[in-house]
Amino acid sequence: MTKILWLRASLISKVVVYTLLALAAVITLLPFLWASINSIKTSTATFEPHAFIPFLNFEPTLDSWRNVLSDPQAINAFISSVVVSVGTTVFALILGVPAAYALARFQFPIRSGDIALWFLSQRVLPPAVVLVPFYLLMVSLRLVDTWIGLILCYSAFNLAFAVVIMRDIFRDVSTEIEDAAKVEGATPWQIFWKISLPLSVDGLIVTAVLVFAFTWNEALFASALTSQSATTFSALVLASRSTRGVDFNIAAVNTLIGIVPPVILYFFVQRYLARGLSFGAVKG
Amino acid sequence: MKAMHGRPAEYGAVFKYVLLLPAVLWVVAFTFAPLIFVIRYSFANYVLGMGITGYIGLQNYADVLASDRFWHSIMVTAIYVAVSVPVEVVLGFIAAWLVNLGAPWARGFRTIIGMPLFTMEVAIGYLGVTLFSSQGGLVTAVLELAGIEVPWLSTPSGGIAAAILLDIWRWTSFVFIIVLAGLSSISSDLYDAAILDARNHWQVMWRLGIPLAWPVTTIAILLRIIEGLKVFAIPYALTTGGPGTSTEVFSAMDYLTTVQFFNFGQGSAMGIIFLIMVAALITVFFKQMRKRLG
């Protein structure tokens, strides 16, 4: 980061900068705080938005947490989300990373960047547009309302991330060691598996986290392709919005449970994040 | 490529296809093949339980184009994108600039400001109901203190505005993260030079920051527009399209046509029409990405 601008700044500028940053941080954190407070209120107490401090303004209770956590549907949805997100991540990486490596290291009749772009092109399709064929495909494969059905869909959608980001990461890894290994008589597979991949672990982790988060947060396909046993947490949240109406405290608990897992993962990855999010178009 | 001196043609000639093809086939099977079916269904008369009973030419297209609900959802989506994306870009850029100044604790601010991007959108929309509710909503309560009363969720414009505010909260972080990466990759020598002949901070930002971060910002803008046009979760979870269908975005409309009414013919035609409408944008997006991907 550019220290020089900061060091040369006047005291007033510094105060202004901190004020703005603090404001941004507060606005970012406020919904979390609001949800946390509502989650320990009773349903009636939630209609007192001014009661903000536990014990002082209102009597905190864990009832809504117990309510949600004792609901087998919510537990089942949470497990579904974990299984589907992890499954998708693993599957998208198994398919995408080797392809990315091939595009980074070898030449194809078509320009490598154009193949990457082709992978990317599916991302412009509004998901609702391909919903019909996907639904019918899942019906014919008897995969409606199954984890596998969702994993198949999601891995296709997220493959673009894995391919485009990892291609970019692999291209950054120096080929000197690979060349040396080649001279020693290593096979292409050994070079990929034992040299390039271990050198790209950081990028691999960021890609995995992004795929996990996007899968975890997806709601449209999750709602359309599941009905009960494979319902994910996001689909459950969407459904409870319309079926249960809005109990502020229950909504708060649901929100927090839904939000926390990917946000925790986010804390561990920052380095390649911009590259990943821009499909490698932004260099880190 | 530099990795292949010696015998470039032979080394890994089969191997590379073994690595690449599974992914290609997967995408063909699960994205491009379904798209062909979408085209087919858009010309078909689909009856639930019976499947395609015949082809009816452009009837589905005509029905969609004659539907007020469709045009209304297009308009809502357009307003949504036209308002939220510029705000997100400006706020995201400013936040990135401020963090990039390198003040003490800047890293902490970076972590916090980037966080919303990883939150579940339907959950944010759902939480939004409790923020904007007329009874006990946080935003409503805060505005009440200032004597302002906004009918957020009971009116169409209030509902759209609330959804846009949530969208800005969620997606500014995206622009922020990308622009910050662009700004921090500018060499500090350039800052040193710029600061010598600039009269103040703003000049450094206008003359150096914005021009140098512009290519990266373009990508952020394009990705935001593309994603924004697909928007579903936040507005749908917040208002479920209501009151009535007044705040229904395109994806929600298409989703309901397909999943609730099982009108696969119109649902497909709608998707194709939408793609044609945004084709120009998609072309610009691909041109830019092609330049960057190399």
Side-chain angles (χ1 to χ4, degrees):
Chain A
M1 285 178 210
T2 25
K3 278 268 185 254
I4 179 98
L5 287 176
W6 179 254
L7 296 174
R8 298 275 300 264
S10 65
L11 184 64
I12 297 176
S13 320
K14 286 181 181 174
V15 172
V16 171
V17 168
Y18 267 118
T19 312
L20 291 174
L21 285 175
L23 190 68
V26 167
I27 292 174
T28 305
L29 294 175
L30 204 57
F32 296 111
L33 189 64
W34 169 250
S36 307
I37 288 168
N38 271 340
S39 78
I40 51 169
K41 279 182 170 182
T42 58
S43 174
T44 34
T46 53
F47 287 99
E48 277 303 321
H50 307 286
F52 229 72
I53 307 162
F55 296 108
L56 198 65
N57 295 150
F58 68 92
E59 201 54 49
T61 164
L62 289 174
D63 281 354
S64 4
W65 284 95
R66 278 192 212 106
N67 186 328
V68 172
L69 294 178
S70 65
D71 176 4
Q73 249 193 317
I75 302 295
N76 192 31
F78 191 85
I79 295 171
S80 287
S81 276
V82 172
V83 173
V84 170
S85 305
V86 171
T88 301
T89 307
V90 171
F91 207 62
L93 289 183
I94 288 178
L95 283 169
V97 172
Y101 182 75
L103 291 175
R105 286 289 181 278
F106 298 98
Q107 263 168 341
F108 290 92
I110 304 170
R111 213 170 64 110
S112 140
D114 287 349
I115 300 176
L117 195 63
W118 177 81
F119 275 105
L120 195 59
S121 64
Q122 52 160 326
R123 298 294 313 184
V124 305
L125 286 180
V129 173
V130 283
L131 203 53
V132 173
F134 256 109
Y135 183 78
L136 294 169
L137 183 68
M138 290 303 137
V139 170
S140 64
L141 294 174
R142 296 181 188 283
L143 289 175
V144 174
D145 202 23
T146 62
W147 289 338
I148 296 184
L150 283 179
I151 292 172
L152 293 182
C153 289
Y154 287 146
S155 59
F157 296 157
N158 282 297
L159 207 50
F161 283 100
V163 171
V164 179
I165 305 164
M166 285 310 293
R167 167 179 167 268
D168 198 52
I169 307 269
F170 283 130
R171 290 198 329 164
D172 269 12
V173 174
S174 155
T175 53
E176 272 174 38
I177 308 175
E178 294 185 22
D179 290 345
K182 213 177 292 175
V183 174
E184 297 290 320
T187 64
W189 172 257
Q190 285 172 325
I191 293 175
F192 166 63
W193 188 247
K194 297 216 166 119
I195 299 173
S196 309
L197 212 51
L199 284 173
S200 313
V201 160
D202 289 2
L204 211 57
I205 292 171
V206 175
T207 311
V209 167
L210 283 175
V211 173
F212 179 93
F214 289 131
T215 307
W216 181 276
N217 294 334
E218 208 282 337
L220 195 142
F221 272 83
S223 307
L225 300 182
T226 64
S227 51
Q228 202 173 2
S229 46
T231 300
T232 65
F233 206 78
S234 57
L236 183 81
V237 168
L238 193 59
S240 57
R241 159 66 176 98
S242 33
T243 54
R244 297 186 64 153
V246 178
D247 279 332
F248 280 24
N249 47 342
I250 303 293
V253 174
N254 276 329
T255 306
L256 289 172
I257 296 176
I259 281 176
V260 164
V263 168
I264 288 179
L265 291 178
Y266 156 76
F267 290 132
F268 293 101
V269 289
Q270 301 221 347
R271 237 178 101 202
Y272 293 107
L273 213 48
R275 279 180 172 195
L277 294 168
S278 66
F279 296 100
V282 168
K283 306 298 172 200
Chain B
M1 274 198 183
K2 55 191 168 187
M4 291 173 285
H5 29 98
R7 298 175 304 168
E10 280 94 337
Y11 193 83
V14 177
F15 179 65
K16 64 184 183 185
Y17 284 103
V18 174
L19 294 184
L20 181 66
L21 279 181
V24 170
L25 291 177
W26 200 255
V27 172
V28 169
F30 286 97
T31 317
F32 291 93
L35 194 59
I36 293 170
F37 277 92
V38 174
I39 296 170
R40 190 175 139 211
Y41 274 94
S42 74
F43 294 111
N45 185 30
Y46 180 90
V47 181
L48 186 62
M50 293 169 68
I52 295 177
T53 57
Y55 289 88
I56 49 174
L58 293 169
Q59 192 56 45
N60 287 324
Y61 288 87
D63 289 346
V64 170
L65 290 173
S67 144
D68 289 341
R69 192 170 165 187
F70 169 77
W71 286 110
H72 187 79
S73 77
I74 295 288
M75 193 187 71
V76 172
T77 309
I79 293 172
Y80 194 93
V81 173
V83 177
S84 61
V85 173
V87 176
E88 285 156 13
V89 171
V90 171
L91 291 180
F93 192 98
I94 293 174
W97 180 262
L98 295 177
V99 166
N100 189 52
L101 292 175
W105 302 337
R107 272 167 202 280
F109 284 113
R110 182 182 74 177
T111 304
I112 293 173
I113 297 172
M115 196 161 62
L117 187 63
F118 282 73
T119 59
M120 183 188 279
E121 282 175 286
V122 278
I124 296 304
Y126 193 22
L127 186 68
V129 182
T130 76
L131 289 167
F132 292 102
S133 164
S134 57
Q135 282 162 336
L138 179 66
V139 177
T140 316
V142 170
L143 290 178
E144 231 165 54
L145 296 178
I148 306 168
E149 208 178 309
V150 182
W152 290 111
L153 301 180
S154 54
T155 60
S157 48
I160 296 172
I164 289 174
L165 286 173
L166 290 177
D167 197 273
I168 291 168
W169 180 87
R170 169 69 164 50
W171 285 102
T172 296
S173 52
F174 173 80
V175 180
F176 166 78
I177 291 171
I178 289 184
V179 172
L180 183 58
L183 286 174
S184 53
S185 68
I186 299 173
S187 129
S188 53
D189 296 348
L190 287 174
Y191 284 107
D192 291 351
I195 206 163
L196 287 177
D197 42 68
R199 260 180 293 125
N200 55 43
H201 248 102
W202 294 113
Q203 281 197 340
V204 181
M205 185 169 121
W206 281 108
R207 289 190 190 161
L208 184 78
I210 292 181
L212 287 181
W214 182 246
V216 163
T217 313
T218 328
I219 292 294
I221 295 171
L222 283 169
L223 281 164
R224 270 316 295 138
I225 295 174
I226 298 277
E227 286 297 315
L229 291 169
K230 305 197 302 197
V231 68
F232 166 76
I234 288 180
Y236 190 70
L238 180 68
T239 68
T240 59
T245 56
S246 59
T247 60
E248 194 173 68
V249 290
F250 168 76
S251 284
M253 154 105 201
D254 202 352
Y255 170 78
L256 291 176
T257 308
T258 308
V259 172
Q260 207 174 54
F261 305 117
F262 292 100
N263 195 338
F264 290 175
Q266 280 191 28
S268 301
M270 209 176 275
I272 307 275
I273 295 172
F274 188 79
L275 276 180
I276 293 170
M277 287 168 99
V278 300
L281 258 167
I282 292 174
T283 313
V284 175
F285 172 71
F286 281 142
K287 276 195 179 146
Q288 284 291 327
M289 288 306 284
R290 188 168 195 262
K291 247 195 281 176
R292 302 286 146 66
L293 286 175

